[in-house]
Amino acid sequence: MEKIAFALLISSRKLHSYFQAHSIVVMTDQPIRKTMNKIDTAGRLIQGTIELGQFNIEYRPRAAIKAQILVNFIAKFTYPCKEEELPMKTWTVQTNGSTTKKVGGAGVVLISPQREILTYAVRLQFSVTNNEAEYEALLTGLSLAKALKAKNLIVQADS
């Protein structure tokens, strides 16, 4: 929590003129305001709270979008390991999604344990945001891996 509050403080210092001229809305899933207003707040945060108090800052809960929830899920349940620690029959799924004004697309590359490369391109028949295209690419990659009965999977999504 201190790191988030410190990042906000540094931002306010670097963008001082913007913070003075405009109302600032901080979208977060962390209770920053509540933490900074506690009586037993650490000394470093007290000074930051006073400094940030001069600005019109509104804290709003950040609504999660589908793609962000999926990214958070994968990040939480993915454990980094070294190449030699991977099971022998490990598949790799690489995904990427993109959009234009009218159409979206998803690209998937599957790499088998024997290093065979399978490439797929999917044209999305509906309007999507870039995040949604990334989400669709990941779902497509996972569906293809399941259809190929891949048990051990490394997922690499382009950013």
Side-chain angles (χ1 to χ4, degrees):
M1 189 61 63
E2 284 184 28
K3 288 181 182 179
I4 294 171
F6 186 65
L8 181 59
L9 181 62
I10 295 301
S11 298
S12 73
R13 288 176 182 168
K14 294 216 180 256
L15 303 169
H16 190 76
S17 58
Y18 292 103
F19 273 66
Q20 283 184 322
H22 303 283
S23 295
I24 304 298
V25 177
V26 177
M27 306 291 286
T28 181
D29 56 356
Q30 301 295 321
I32 295 175
R33 179 184 294 279
K34 189 182 232 182
T35 302
M36 291 179 19
N37 289 336
K38 283 185 179 178
I39 294 173
D40 60 344
T41 300
R44 294 183 300 198
L45 280 182
I46 291 174
Q47 180 183 357
T49 302
I50 293 168
E51 201 170 321
L52 289 171
Q54 67 182 319
F55 305 116
N56 183 16
I57 300 176
E58 181 182 346
Y59 299 91
R60 290 188 195 159
R62 181 179 67 179
I65 56 174
K66 286 192 302 185
Q68 189 62 43
I69 291 169
L70 186 61
V71 168
N72 290 344
F73 174 80
I74 289 172
K76 186 177 277 189
F77 292 102
T78 300
Y79 301 98
C81 62
K82 296 177 181 147
E83 187 78 29
E84 60 272 5
E85 295 173 352
L86 292 173
M88 294 300 284
K89 295 184 178 183
T90 300
W91 287 74
T92 302
V93 176
Q94 299 172 340
T95 64
N96 194 0
S98 65
T99 60
T100 62
K101 284 187 177 184
K102 296 183 180 180
V103 70
V108 178
V109 176
L110 283 157
I111 304 171
S112 74
Q114 295 79 26
R115 295 296 175 225
E116 297 169 324
I117 298 174
L118 308 166
T119 306
Y120 297 89
V122 178
R123 182 175 180 197
L124 303 174
Q125 297 295 324
F126 48 92
S127 177
V128 293
T129 65
N130 203 48
N131 281 341
E132 291 168 331
E134 294 280 345
Y135 174 72
E136 292 294 332
L138 182 58
L139 287 178
T140 301
L142 293 174
S143 296
L144 289 169
K146 182 179 178 184
L148 293 168
K149 296 184 170 107
K151 298 285 184 204
N152 302 308
L153 200 59
I154 297 172
V155 178
Q156 299 172 336
D158 279 350
S159 300

